[in-house]
Structure formats: structure tokens, C-alpha cells
Amino acid sequence: MMRLFRYSLYCLMLTALLWQCHIAPGIVGAVQFDPTAAPYPKLSDYAFFQALSPNGAVPNAGVLPYEPITPLFTDYAHKARYVWMPDSVQATVDADGRILFPDHTVLIKTFYYPADFARPDQDWDLIETRLLMKRDGEWDAYTYVWNDKDIEAELNLVGDFKPVSWADEQGLARTVEYVVPNKNQCKSCHNQNKKLLPIGPKARNLNAALTYPDGITVNQLERWQSDGKLTAGDWAAQFAPLTDWDDPKSGNIADRALAYLEVNCGHCHHPEGPAHTTGLYLGTDFQGYPAQLGICKSPVAAGKGSGGRQFGIQPGQPDSSILLYRMEAEDPGVMMPEIGRAVPHKEGIALVREWIEGLEGDCKE
């Protein structure tokens, strides 16, 4: 909930910044998206934002911010997310709560680091903006890397490395060599049944209130509907909110740990994901299937990635569990997730550790 509050504060701040930030040439006016001409060489060519500055961007008309309840971890980067689609079309929701977007939808996600995480609304270092755009029923991913002045981002298909430094909430200095993925690496995570698909926007992961740049606080699914981006339906009642992994009041340890694993691991470790052959499925849908969650499950292939441990999860013994070993690892040949992080997520690891410590039972060798 604190994260949603910070994001709401961010949205309000962006509106105020419109009067003091640099207006980049050629981006004021309606969104410019021609699916036959994209990708454009510069982010400003799309006019998704009215203004760009080192402290963020002001979304243009029709570009709607959104924030998942439980987000994906990416080396402690903060993220600003938006959705745009033509006024003539709407998204729908399938029986599993997945949002099905129409052609010419663009999902926009900017990765940035505040200089001081205790003051997240100040002194941003903008790193990259990723666009997922749907054309002819298929999704494509394109990355735009921001320049040193943080007032323009240019198309980058080959990836990049960006040294980043910041002070965390405790005032400790942190650094990371941030990896901007190349175009092919995007497919590694956004992969369901060998098709590139969005990960985050699902009905249950958006079923929470958000304060928008116009100052209105409302449930995100309802706002999408009132803005004409989502078909009619009582989706907020039909799909219970995903637990917020970072909010102890939102659910018990198991709920929070599984929500975290679903968002950070479940896109691969899923019957339709690229890691389906492992038989390890990490997500809230498998709470009643302990073996599929890795509890007392031996790995399909032993070796370096197992760290000499016998089971994915050994109840009551996190330090004997392969899952935690790989979450803590920094060796690229061992660590999980394989892409999207260079440093371990200590807070997420602490949560999963606490969950495993509380599990009862004994694995028979």
C-alpha cells in the first residue's frame, strides 16, 4: 500500500512539473502512433507525454498510468507504467482474469532511480522506457534508452549497460550495473506458449485504488472502464485482488510469498511458460499442489543450479531449499530469475525464507 501511495504522489507531482520542466520539441499534442511506421527512432516521436524532464513525464491525453499491486523486481528500479490504445477499441477480460488487449495497444514502462530512495519524487536518473505494442494480433517489444540529460530516449535494439548509484531508504550507498535487455531477451520473460505477451496487467493485479494525475482516486479497473479502455463488467468483484507482497496487512505469509513468486517467477515457471518442462509452477493457482510448488520436489536436472540441495523446497529448512539458493545467487549460471536482475532482492528473499521456515513436513529421501 505504501508503494501505491508513493505512486499516487508521483502522479500528482507530474502535473505540477508541467510548468517547470523542459518541453521537448514536437511532443505536445495528440499521441502519434502509426503501427505501420513504428518503431520510431525517438520516444518523443510518439507524443505519449506532453513534457519530459529529469524528474519524470506528464502523460498526454489518453495515456493512462497504472500500477500493479505486486510488481516485478528489477534491481530496485522504480517504474512508471502507462497504457494507450485508440479511442475506437477496448480491452476485454477472459475467464482467467487476463486482460486481452486490442490491436494498436501500447504498454509503456519507464525504469528510473531516484538519487535518494527516501525522497522518491526527486532527482531521478531515467534509464530506459520499454514499449510493448500489439499489431496484427502479435506483440512486439522495443526499448528506448534515455540520454545523459534525461530529456530524450532513443531506440536501442542491441541492449546496453548503465552504471547506477543511489542511496536506499536507510541512507546506504548502493550501486548496480543495470542491464538494458536486447530485443531478443525481452522474449525470454514475455513468453507464453512461445508467443510474446504482457506479464503485469491482469485484473487481479490491478484491482486496487490509484490516485491519477487529475487528482481522482479510484479503483484502476473502474478507471479503465470509465476512460473507455476496458469493456463493461464487474471485474473488481469477480477477480479478488492479488496480495501485496510488501504489505503484511494484505495477507498471510503464504499469500504474500506466493504473490511475489507468481509475479517474479511464475511467467516462466508456468504450464504455458518457457520453464514448463521443469514441472515447477510458482504462483497462487498452485497453492493446493505442493509438489508443483517445489515442496519436496527433486529437480529435473541436478547440477550447479541445485547447489547440492535435493529439493526445490525443504519444509522448515530454507537453507536446504534450491529455490532460495537460486534467489540468493549472483552467479549468472545459477541465479533466478536469469534475466532482469543483477543483485538479489533481499526483501523478497526474506519473505520467501520466512514462508519456507513456517512450512511443516519432512521430505523422504
Side-chain angles (χ1 to χ4, degrees):
M1 296 305 292
M2 181 59 67
R3 183 176 58 255
L4 287 174
F5 170 78
R6 289 197 300 263
Y7 189 76
S8 298
L9 181 64
Y10 151 79
C11 290
L12 290 172
M13 178 202 67
L14 290 184
T15 302
L17 278 171
L18 177 58
W19 300 101
Q20 54 183 291
C21 60
H22 296 287
I23 305 296
I27 67 171
V28 176
V31 168
Q32 303 295 314
F33 179 68
D34 179 353
T36 64
Y40 300 149
K42 297 180 180 181
L43 183 63
S44 62
D45 293 335
Y46 297 92
F48 290 132
F49 306 105
Q50 295 179 19
L52 303 174
S53 84
N55 278 42
V58 180
N60 214 333
V63 179
L64 191 66
Y66 70 91
E67 176 71 6
I69 296 170
T70 285
L72 180 73
F73 172 77
T74 310
D75 284 338
Y76 291 99
H78 289 221
K79 302 170 187 177
R81 304 167 179 84
Y82 309 87
V83 59
W84 178 86
M85 62 184 69
D87 292 337
S88 59
V89 296
Q90 292 181 316
T92 60
V93 181
D94 71 8
D96 295 321
R98 291 175 292 195
I99 296 179
L100 306 179
F101 292 96
D103 271 355
H104 305 165
T105 296
V106 183
L107 299 176
I108 307 154
K109 183 162 62 174
T110 294
F111 296 69
Y112 66 95
Y113 288 83
D116 184 351
F117 276 24
R119 298 182 295 171
D121 58 342
Q122 300 178 29
D123 300 324
W124 293 0
D125 183 6
L126 302 176
I127 307 299
E128 60 164 322
T129 294
R130 301 179 190 175
L131 304 183
L132 275 180
M133 56 184 70
K134 190 174 184 181
R135 298 174 292 188
D136 298 324
E138 302 290 336
W139 289 91
D140 269 320
Y142 298 100
T143 296
Y144 290 77
V145 176
W146 289 84
N147 61 21
D148 291 340
K149 294 183 179 179
D150 288 344
I151 57 173
E152 182 62 274
E154 296 187 355
L155 180 65
N156 182 307
L157 302 179
V158 299
D160 201 355
F161 295 91
K162 305 277 283 188
V164 180
S165 59
W166 72 95
D168 66 18
E169 289 86 346
Q170 290 73 44
L172 300 176
R174 301 290 302 273
T175 61
V176 68
E177 187 173 50
Y178 182 95
V179 179
V180 177
N182 63 46
K183 185 168 174 55
N184 289 330
Q185 287 174 316
C186 294
K187 299 176 182 179
S188 299
C189 292
H190 292 271
N191 183 339
Q192 294 284 291
N193 288 326
K194 299 182 179 180
K195 290 187 175 182
L196 191 149
L197 292 173
I199 296 174
K202 299 177 182 177
R204 60 179 176 169
N205 208 10
L206 295 178
N207 193 359
L210 185 67
T211 300
Y212 289 85
D214 58 13
I216 296 174
T217 301
V218 66
N219 182 283
Q220 294 184 88
L221 298 174
E222 295 175 6
R223 180 61 185 257
W224 283 40
Q225 289 176 319
S226 66
D227 279 19
K229 297 186 183 300
L230 185 64
T231 55
D234 197 359
W235 310 123
Q238 186 173 343
F239 298 101
L242 187 68
T243 302
D244 183 347
W245 79 273
D246 199 27
D247 182 3
K249 296 180 181 178
S250 70
N252 59 37
I253 287 293
D255 292 336
R256 292 168 57 211
L258 290 176
Y260 179 88
L261 292 171
E262 177 175 309
V263 170
N264 286 276
C265 313
H267 46 280
C268 286
H269 285 278
H270 186 275
E272 298 176 354
H276 68 277
T277 56
T278 66
L280 177 65
Y281 305 141
L282 298 172
T284 56
D285 290 343
F286 303 98
Q287 192 161 4
Y289 303 90
Q292 290 181 322
L293 285 176
I295 297 175
C296 295
K297 178 185 180 303
S298 299
V300 172
K304 182 179 179 180
S306 70
R309 305 174 189 195
Q310 292 184 296
F311 303 107
I313 295 174
Q314 179 109 1
Q317 300 181 48
D319 289 323
S320 296
S321 301
I322 298 172
L323 176 65
L324 203 69
Y325 169 69
R326 303 197 75 170
M327 288 178 68
E328 292 177 329
E330 297 185 57
D331 181 341
V334 175
M335 68 183 194
M336 286 288 176
E338 296 175 306
I339 295 174
R341 78 161 179 91
V343 298
H345 187 196
K346 61 181 181 180
E347 295 82 4
I349 289 169
L351 174 65
V352 174
R353 174 178 289 276
E354 185 177 355
W355 171 56
I356 295 175
E357 285 175 344
L359 292 174
E360 298 180 352
D362 184 30
C363 300
K364 305 297 183 182
E365 298 182 8

